[in-house]
Amino acid sequence: MKTLVIGTGGREHALALALSRDPAVTEVHAAPGNPGIGAFASLHPVDPMDGAAVAALAAEIGADLVVVGPEAPLVAGVADAVREAGVPVFGPSRAAALLEGSKAFSKEVMAAAGVPTAGSRTCVTADEVAAALDAFGPPYVVKDDALAAGKGVVVTRDRAEAEEHAAGCGTVVVEEFLDGPEVSLFAVCDGTTAYPLQPAQDFKRIHDGGRGPNTGGMGSYSPLPWAPADLAATVVDTVVQPTLDEMARREAPFVGCLYVGLALTAAGPRVIEFNCRFGDPDVQPVLALLDSPLGELLLAAARGDLESVPAPVFRDGASVTVVLASAGYPESSSKGDVITGVGAANGVNDVDVIHAGTALHQDSLVTAGGRVLAVRALGYDVADARARAYAAADLVSFEGQQRRSDIAAEPLGVVEGASVADD
Ligand code: AMP
Ligand code: GLY
């Protein structure tokens, strides 16, 4: 099987690596990929946002499966272009990707499907926003309706800040605050059925203790020893399957990864958001633990025939991923700083150094983005994997490096950013 992964980040590196470890996968290609992926796969300088160019590349290399990593090309319809060219693609159509592309649409689908989520109102005018903030009360949750690369959501007790955020967006969704630890659950979907992967947790804030601004994610781990053992099955029954049924009814069947962001509240799991792709870095430890072939799984989903392959199997133990970010992140990022120690860290047993924002400059590896690398380790349990990940991360250095010191630290399963709720 020849596979083509679209995207540049850590998620794409982790996907490409897992594909390369599937015995049925003979070739891994990526467009445009990154230097980490380039170490074991063929890279092609094609713009991920250009559907026609991606489809042409897939045809040229004879790809049997295209995996589109990030949300932006999916929301722009890149998977449609590949599907129209007759190549199986793992990733939703433009119409189905609206589950991430529009918060208002995803709320409407959740309501129609009876999915447990925060109560919400879609608002356009300042008066509507004020009425919704009054109705739900603090802490206030205000979300830009449109894709905003993780920057569209404000959770605050400060009424003026909530109103200012709304005024700076077009349409917003104002919703009820959900109190409880967050979980990422990825469901591999073929349009009608789904297989859940093992749940993971992501650390979203830049600083220890869940302080500072939101980021794309500073680290992650899986499994979640503190979560209910039947969590994945419950979420498939109450969230994923009703959503797939509703999308099929709307003639926008969802083929790809439905990423369910949940809060485990006192009243049970509630959906915080849907994304239309794997989470990064949340999926990295999940893929490290996957013991069944990824290519076969994603190809079956892309063909609408998931039930022809067994449900994914995970090995015992745990995996932890620690992100190394550049100076200025998340407000800005720093480019061109020389990175050392990646080879040494990658050489540690059961460790993979995943590239997220790196570039090659005159044979040196340099920083080229906000999240630069993710150091991922396997271990006997979360504490062991955590110790191994940090020991390997200690070998990597570059100017201005930022990393959290409390990724996957005890106590696990507590509310990140609890300060917002308690202030
Ligand atoms: P989203 O982009 O919807 O995932 O929101 C980003 C982050 O804001 C989430 O990971 C949560 O930490 C927080 N958040 C979003 N919606 C809510 C909510 N209804 N209640 C509490 N926190 C929320
Ligand atoms: N780590 C969160 C996300 O991928 O959206």
Side-chain angles (χ1 to χ4, degrees):
M1 185 195 312
K2 294 185 187 176
T3 58
L4 170 61
V5 177
I6 305 302
T8 60
R11 164 184 41 225
E12 289 73 33
H13 186 166
L15 285 165
L17 200 54
L19 288 170
S20 76
R21 291 172 180 170
D22 177 341
V25 172
T26 50
E27 288 178 26
V28 181
H29 297 257
N34 65 38
I37 304 174
F40 61 91
S42 312
L43 303 185
H44 304 270
V46 166
D47 178 3
M49 296 299 289
D50 185 340
V54 170
L57 173 63
E60 182 193 318
I61 64 176
D64 300 293
L65 172 68
V66 176
V67 180
V68 181
E71 63 275 17
L74 292 165
V75 170
V78 168
D80 303 75
V82 177
R83 208 167 274 125
E84 277 157 25
V87 181
V89 55
F90 185 81
S93 66
R94 178 205 303 259
L98 215 51
L99 278 181
E100 176 167 1
S102 164
K103 302 264 187 205
F105 176 78
S106 82
K107 285 305 228 184
E108 182 196 316
V109 169
M110 283 189 247
V115 166
T117 184
S120 74
R121 290 194 198 173
T122 299
C123 307
V124 179
T125 68
D127 286 348
E128 286 167 358
V129 169
L133 294 173
D134 286 340
F136 294 119
Y140 304 110
V141 181
V142 180
K143 302 185 173 186
D144 193 340
D145 176 49
L147 267 194
K151 302 215 167 91
V153 178
V154 160
V155 181
T156 179
R157 287 190 167 269
D158 181 342
R159 172 81 179 217
E161 190 189 350
E163 289 181 353
E164 265 163 43
H165 180 62
C169 304
T171 302
V172 294
V173 171
V174 176
E175 60 179 48
E176 171 197 357
F177 178 78
L178 295 173
D179 201 6
E182 288 182 41
V183 169
S184 302
L185 196 277
F186 306 113
V188 171
C189 303
D190 71 354
T192 51
T193 59
Y195 284 145
L197 304 186
Q198 187 166 279
Q201 195 173 37
D202 180 20
F203 293 78
K204 292 193 196 247
R205 306 284 184 136
I206 184 78
H207 299 308
D208 284 7
R211 288 189 303 276
N214 259 320
T215 70
M218 292 299 291
S220 54
Y221 69 99
S222 181
L224 311 179
W226 52 272
D230 61 354
L231 180 63
T234 303
V235 174
V236 168
D237 289 348
T238 60
V239 175
V240 177
Q241 194 60 53
T243 300
L244 290 187
D245 294 346
E246 178 63 20
M247 293 300 286
R249 200 183 62 74
R250 292 173 183 235
E251 294 179 6
F254 190 95
V255 177
C257 173
L258 183 63
Y259 167 157
V260 186
L262 297 154
L264 302 195
T265 73
R270 296 282 180 275
V271 176
I272 288 182
E273 63 163 348
F274 282 148
N275 292 312
C276 67
R277 36 84 194 169
F278 292 107
D280 189 30
D282 349 3
V283 81
Q284 295 187 20
V286 177
L287 292 174
L289 293 162
L290 182 68
D291 216 11
S292 49
L294 182 67
E296 171 191 281
L297 178 72
L298 301 187
L299 181 60
R303 286 185 172 149
D305 194 17
L306 202 50
E307 279 169 349
S308 69
V309 298
V313 176
F314 294 87
R315 66 174 78 180
D316 290 342
S319 177
V320 171
T321 294
V322 176
V323 169
L324 311 182
S326 71
Y329 184 70
E331 287 83 4
S332 63
S333 63
S334 164
K335 282 189 165 64
D337 296 312
V338 174
I339 306 168
T340 60
V342 168
N346 216 18
V348 178
N349 244 350
D350 288 333
V351 168
D352 291 305
V353 179
I354 306 287
H355 292 232
T358 67
L360 284 172
H361 181 68
Q362 294 168 352
D363 288 343
S364 299
L365 191 67
V366 298
T367 62
R371 292 185 293 173
V372 177
L373 296 164
V375 181
R376 177 180 75 178
L378 287 167
Y380 299 112
D381 57 15
V382 174
D384 182 44
R386 169 173 203 278
R388 290 168 189 259
Y390 275 103
D394 283 343
L395 301 172
V396 179
S397 56
F398 55 86
E399 187 65 34
Q401 185 189 116
Q402 304 189 78
R403 78 176 198 207
R404 279 181 62 162
S405 70
D406 64 347
I407 300 303
E410 295 287 347
L412 296 171
V414 295
V415 180
E416 273 279 286
S419 54
V420 176
D422 299 340
D423 279 349

